[in-house]
Amino acid sequence: MTDKPTAPKTISELDEAALFYHRYPHPGKLTIQATKPLGNQRDLALAYSPGVAAPCLEIARDPALAADYTARSNLVGVISNGTAVLGLGAIGSLASKPVMEGKAVLFKKFAGIDVFDIEVDELKVEPFVDAVAALEPTFGGINLEDIKAPECFMIERALRERMNIPVFHDDQHGTAIIVAAAVKNALEFAGKDIAKVKIVASGAGAAALACLNLLCSLGARRENIWVTDIEGVVYAGREALMDEWKAVFAQDTDKRTLGEVIPDADVFLGVSAGGVLKPEMVAKMAERPLILALANPNPEIMPEDALAVRDDVMMCTGRSDYPNQVNNVLCFPYIFRGALDVGATTINEEMKLAAVAAIAELAREEPSEVVARAYGGVSETFGAKYLIPSPFDQRLILRIAPAVARAAMETGVAQRPIEDFEAYHDRLNRFVFRSGLVMKPVIAAARGASTRIIYSNGEDERVLRAAQVLIEDKLAHPILIGRPSVIETRSARFGLKIRPGVDFECINPEDDPRYREYVETLLELVGRRGVTPEAARTMIRTNTTVIGAIALHRGEADALICGLDGRYSKHLADVRSIIGTAKGVQDFSALSLLINTGGATFFTDTYVTENPSAREIAETTMLAAEEIRRFGITPRAALLSASNFGSRDMDSASKMREALAILDEIAPDLEVDGEMHGDSALSLAMRNRVMPNSRLTGEANLLVFPSLDAANIALNLVKVMTDSLHVGPILLGTAKPVHVLTPSVTSRGVVNMSAFASVEAKTRKAAEG
């Protein structure tokens, strides 16, 4: 029987949000979609009877053809019996299903791999193995998940012996690969030899033992490895809580505690419980020690506590709010990507070591311009605070998958070797920018930036919910314009924990000590544009967008978010009169991002200029391209028209041709072409038919429209028809970071735009010196 924890009487706001997230609009996190058209009787005949007989017979003749005619070669089974689920323990197979669905989502998002999650209600090893082994015809690989030790060792070993596809227990090997990469880089940075270092482990479960075994494959010596668990030191002759896997690391010693074996340790590996490594123990470790404190959410020792004892410590944790996060998503999607792409029959030691080397080498690479832009213009370089890459480094798949694929080929376990690695790398690179993860580096760059963002709609529920996320995730310091009593009442009503004057600053339009100063500043800026002193006083009492813009102008905030109610054009007029355009920019324009299963596509100008001139279109395209680079994406712009490379002679087509000529002159490095149809922009094959020598390579990701009507209509149609996530509108050309949102924005949209504004403000500050 499994343990059944009793439900807590109260749940946190995060728990409540998680329950809502998993339940609506459809229960769970997965669905199945057809990849072939099913629009008519012929489609149905091809998809099922009688057409399906042809591929069935081909596979019966040659089983290897299943990779050509079915989804098997890109399908992984994520399988668990629920005996060791995250930090929840043995909650059972059914209760583990949300975790397995979550793992499936990560496979899909990070590596484009499809997953069936399978929860097996079986605790005994042999029946579980029988059940999984029988599924081999279905899958290209098996990812075992959340199975307790020592059964996980026995299950994986038996399945690897019986199955001719990769079987990978991620809790063991995923953690081990990242730990090994961190150790490899830390020892190189410290100038130490892995064959000579002393390694002390706290914890002897599946992950810890897999880490130690892989470190031995890298060159660590078993006689230099000391293992401790809840019974103390693993020593020769110990009988309590011992098994064949743990016994490999038993030392012939009379030492019995972690405190006794920690002196002179070069590496501490913690996969156990919070607080077990004491500061006085850290003081006794060797010079320049590496501490991997991986217990979550509370590490074996907090980084600040270790660094307080000595400043030469290198720290890794499992937490995202500290450098060097050991996160399995760094490797498991990409290891399976490489293994599946060559039809590997197993994931062997050489493939794991190839992944270790790829991760370690990526951390030592000079950060590319694209990656630097993705992280707000600032990238960590190799050193104590950057031993392993960020989980959101978009280059991970480009390094790990080919390395694993090559290792599989070199060791003879690849059934479908890759013939052209340059073409393979190009295919992976295209996936990176179609994965829908475009906001991840922006969120990562915003974290810890301390950007002050002022919100004109501070009493709005969406802003309040977003503010709590921003505060909890340390993405920004929100400043809310609104009546503190109203904000506090609404926060309590919505179950939010944040409070005005405690967690964030408020500007009260009815009673703020800076009222007179704000009026004076407004009159200085717009007093000669028809705004009387009385009108200025009224605006500072009633127009929250004006209040926010004045605060931003005065340097009391770093960015402004407004526009959640009222007309976009009215908010834009207030921003134009107070903040104005950036130096050298004619006027504002708006960029919108849509993210869906097809990837990320930018639209411009979606909200500002009704009928832009050719020069305005060229300026908008340049500004949009610069913003796109902030997402870590290389812009590829298509100037759209009803004319396809001169197929029609019309005013809008002439305008787009003139805009292209201007861009050729002022931005020769920008990848741009036009005028063209929308389908030519998004389909290389279609574009090659009408313009084989187009300057665009691949699909356009920036769609530039000839008019506001065209851009706005296209944006909203595509958004609804594809169920896309809209990020924006992103206001371009402002003297300071300002974004005017729309009444349809969600709290999630407010968070996304806040993260973008935070990174934008951070980048501008860095550029200004």
Side-chain angles (χ1 to χ4, degrees):
M1 293 180 64
T2 58
D3 297 332
K4 293 184 178 179
T6 56
K9 294 181 180 179
T10 60
I11 61 174
S12 68
E13 192 275 336
L14 178 62
D15 289 340
E16 185 177 0
L19 292 174
F20 185 90
Y21 173 87
H22 281 78
R23 189 171 185 179
Y24 299 103
H26 306 287
K29 300 188 283 285
L30 300 173
T31 188
I32 295 175
Q33 290 185 319
T35 61
K36 299 295 191 293
L38 294 167
N40 54 46
Q41 187 61 40
R42 179 171 174 78
D43 290 343
L44 293 175
L46 292 172
Y48 197 52
S49 181
V52 74
C56 288
L57 293 173
E58 285 294 291
I59 294 169
R61 179 180 62 81
D62 181 1
L65 292 175
D68 297 327
Y69 296 124
T70 75
R72 180 177 186 260
S73 63
N74 194 53
L75 186 62
V76 166
V78 172
I79 302 179
S80 179
N81 62 4
T83 52
V85 181
L86 295 177
L88 304 175
I91 60 174
S93 54
L94 180 59
S96 76
K97 191 171 181 65
V99 178
M100 303 310 122
E101 286 189 354
K103 195 68 174 253
V105 168
L106 296 180
F107 266 111
K108 186 65 175 179
K109 284 292 185 182
F110 283 90
I113 294 171
D114 295 316
V115 166
F116 289 156
D117 66 289
I118 297 179
E119 294 72 35
V120 181
D121 192 15
E122 179 56 67
L123 302 182
K124 295 179 181 178
V125 171
E126 289 187 9
F128 184 91
V129 168
D130 289 339
V132 176
L135 297 172
E136 183 168 346
T138 303
F139 297 109
I142 299 293
N143 184 97
L144 299 173
E145 193 75 17
D146 291 351
I147 302 170
K148 74 181 182 71
E151 287 87 345
C152 62
F153 302 121
M154 295 182 274
I155 287 170
E156 186 186 45
R157 182 168 61 189
L159 288 173
R160 285 167 65 91
E161 291 172 354
R162 289 179 57 176
M163 303 182 80
N164 202 39
I165 57 174
V167 177
F168 188 82
H169 185 210
D170 184 46
D171 299 323
Q172 293 181 59
H173 308 300
T175 302
I177 287 165
I178 303 159
V179 164
V183 171
K184 182 179 176 72
N185 277 349
L187 296 183
E188 177 174 316
F189 185 70
K192 296 181 180 182
D193 183 351
I194 192 170
K196 298 177 181 178
V197 297
K198 178 180 179 180
I199 300 171
V200 175
S202 173
L209 295 178
C211 290
L212 296 175
N213 284 322
L214 194 56
L215 290 177
C216 288
S217 294
L218 281 178
R221 297 185 180 276
R222 294 189 188 276
E223 59 265 28
N224 295 334
I225 297 175
W226 299 75
V227 178
T228 65
D229 60 12
I230 58 174
E231 289 289 329
V233 172
V234 174
Y235 60 89
R238 198 183 97 173
E239 296 181 358
L241 290 181
M242 291 296 290
D243 55 54
E244 62 179 288
W245 295 274
K246 195 183 300 185
V248 171
F249 296 99
Q251 290 274 18
D252 187 5
T253 180
D254 59 358
K255 296 176 180 178
R256 294 293 183 265
T257 66
L258 176 61
E260 290 179 281
V261 298
I262 199 69
D264 300 319
D266 297 280
V267 177
F268 170 82
L269 171 62
V271 194
S272 53
V276 302
L277 184 65
K278 308 301 180 185
E280 56 269 23
M281 297 180 187
V282 175
K284 297 176 183 178
M285 293 180 71
E287 185 180 347
R288 285 171 295 175
L290 170 65
I291 296 176
L292 297 125
L294 307 184
N296 250 333
N298 300 313
E300 283 78 3
I301 187 169
M302 295 297 290
E304 55 266 29
D305 294 335
L307 291 166
V309 177
R310 49 194 298 177
D311 59 9
D312 65 341
V313 169
M314 294 176 282
M315 285 290 308
C316 296
T317 70
R319 293 171 52 140
S320 61
D321 52 347
Y322 289 99
N324 297 320
Q325 183 193 12
V326 175
N327 186 332
N328 287 14
V329 80
L330 268 167
C331 70
F332 75 79
Y334 317 121
I335 289 172
F336 269 97
R337 182 71 280 157
L340 292 173
D341 288 340
V342 295
T345 57
T346 186
I347 295 175
N348 57 31
E349 200 73 2
E350 291 83 359
M351 294 162 73
K352 290 187 283 185
L353 289 173
V356 171
I359 294 169
E361 288 166 10
L362 179 56
R364 296 196 296 269
E365 283 187 30
E366 288 295 320
S368 69
E369 180 185 1
V370 170
V371 172
R373 284 180 178 274
Y375 287 86
V378 179
S379 290
E380 290 285 356
T381 55
F382 178 60
K385 292 185 177 180
Y386 193 71
L387 298 171
I388 46 179
S390 162
F392 300 122
D393 192 321
Q394 296 168 324
R395 297 171 294 176
L396 284 164
I397 192 172
L398 305 178
R399 302 294 186 273
I400 299 173
V404 170
R406 284 186 188 276
M409 291 164 58
E410 290 168 0
T411 55
V413 299
Q415 298 180 105
R416 298 188 305 277
I418 293 170
E419 296 180 359
D420 185 344
F421 266 91
E422 186 175 337
Y424 179 56
H425 187 276
D426 183 61
R427 178 159 64 89
L428 293 176
N429 195 56
R430 290 200 306 272
F431 166 77
V432 167
F433 298 113
R434 292 176 60 88
S435 64
L437 293 170
V438 67
M439 281 303 299
K440 294 296 185 181
V442 175
I443 297 288
R447 187 165 283 116
S450 301
T451 306
R452 301 165 300 166
I453 301 180
I454 192 165
Y455 297 83
S456 64
N457 305 93
E459 296 177 3
D460 191 286
E461 177 184 357
R462 294 165 292 178
V463 170
L464 293 173
R465 292 193 180 279
Q468 175 145 317
V469 173
L470 297 170
I471 292 168
E472 289 181 347
D473 291 353
K474 300 179 181 178
L475 299 178
H477 290 306
I479 302 170
L480 272 54
I481 300 175
R483 294 159 293 177
S485 60
V486 173
I487 290 174
E488 185 160 10
T489 299
R490 290 183 178 177
S491 295
R493 182 195 309 160
F494 303 140
L496 305 177
K497 294 178 287 188
I498 54 173
R499 294 294 179 265
V502 177
D503 302 296
F504 57 90
E505 180 186 345
C506 270
I507 294 179
N508 184 357
E510 294 180 347
D511 183 22
D512 191 276
R514 295 163 291 189
Y515 168 72
R516 294 183 184 279
E517 296 174 19
Y518 280 19
V519 172
E520 291 172 4
T521 301
L522 181 59
L523 285 171
E524 288 173 7
L525 294 170
V526 300
R528 292 183 178 273
R529 297 184 216 163
V531 177
T532 65
E534 181 60 33
R537 286 191 287 270
T538 300
M539 291 167 74
I540 294 299
R541 287 290 191 206
T542 61
N543 190 325
T544 56
T545 295
V546 168
I547 296 170
I550 291 293
L552 179 63
H553 173 81
R554 286 163 52 92
E556 296 168 0
D558 302 307
L560 167 65
I561 301 287
C562 61
L564 274 75
D565 61 14
R567 290 186 296 124
Y568 187 93
S569 58
K570 178 63 173 66
H571 296 288
L572 196 66
D574 291 334
V575 172
R576 182 181 281 110
S577 64
I578 297 169
I579 300 300
T581 58
K583 185 177 180 180
V585 174
Q586 286 184 284
D587 197 7
F588 300 146
S589 52
L591 176 69
S592 292
L593 165 61
L594 291 186
I595 303 172
N596 55 41
T597 54
T601 307
F602 295 85
F603 295 64
T604 194
D605 171 11
T606 48
Y607 281 92
V608 180
T609 307
E610 290 185 14
N611 187 25
S613 66
R615 187 155 295 278
E616 287 173 322
I617 287 171
E619 178 181 82
T620 294
T621 303
M622 287 183 60
L623 292 172
E626 184 60 27
E627 292 301 318
I628 291 170
R629 292 188 184 101
R630 204 187 303 281
F631 288 89
I633 297 174
T634 300
R636 295 186 177 91
L639 306 182
L640 302 184
S641 170
S643 171
N644 206 22
F645 297 105
S647 65
R648 298 184 67 175
D649 190 14
M650 50 196 299
D651 290 343
S652 65
S654 299
K655 180 169 64 174
M656 300 310 267
R657 288 180 213 135
E658 184 182 347
L660 179 63
I662 295 170
L663 286 167
D664 285 344
E665 181 180 342
I666 63 177
D669 295 333
L670 177 64
E671 191 173 321
V672 58
D673 207 349
E675 81 288 5
M676 69 178 76
H677 287 172
D679 51 4
S680 294
L682 298 178
S683 169
L684 177 61
M686 191 166 293
R687 187 163 66 250
N688 282 341
R689 284 200 291 269
V690 295
M691 184 56 61
N693 61 342
S694 172
R695 304 171 199 180
L696 280 184
T697 59
E699 300 173 5
N701 53 26
L702 170 58
L703 305 181
V704 183
F705 292 81
S707 69
L708 179 61
D709 268 349
N712 193 270
I713 291 169
L715 171 73
N716 287 294
L717 281 175
V718 173
K719 179 172 66 174
V720 174
M721 292 173 68
T722 62
D723 193 25
S724 298
L725 170 65
H726 179 211
V727 179
I730 300 167
L731 190 58
L732 307 176
T734 57
K736 292 177 178 288
V738 180
H739 296 289
V740 182
L741 306 186
T742 61
S744 63
V745 72
T746 63
S747 62
R748 181 187 181 190
V750 176
V751 171
N752 282 335
M753 281 308 301
S754 299
F756 185 81
S758 179
V759 175
E760 181 184 6
K762 178 180 172 182
T763 305
R764 290 199 190 196
K765 280 185 179 180
E768 293 167 1

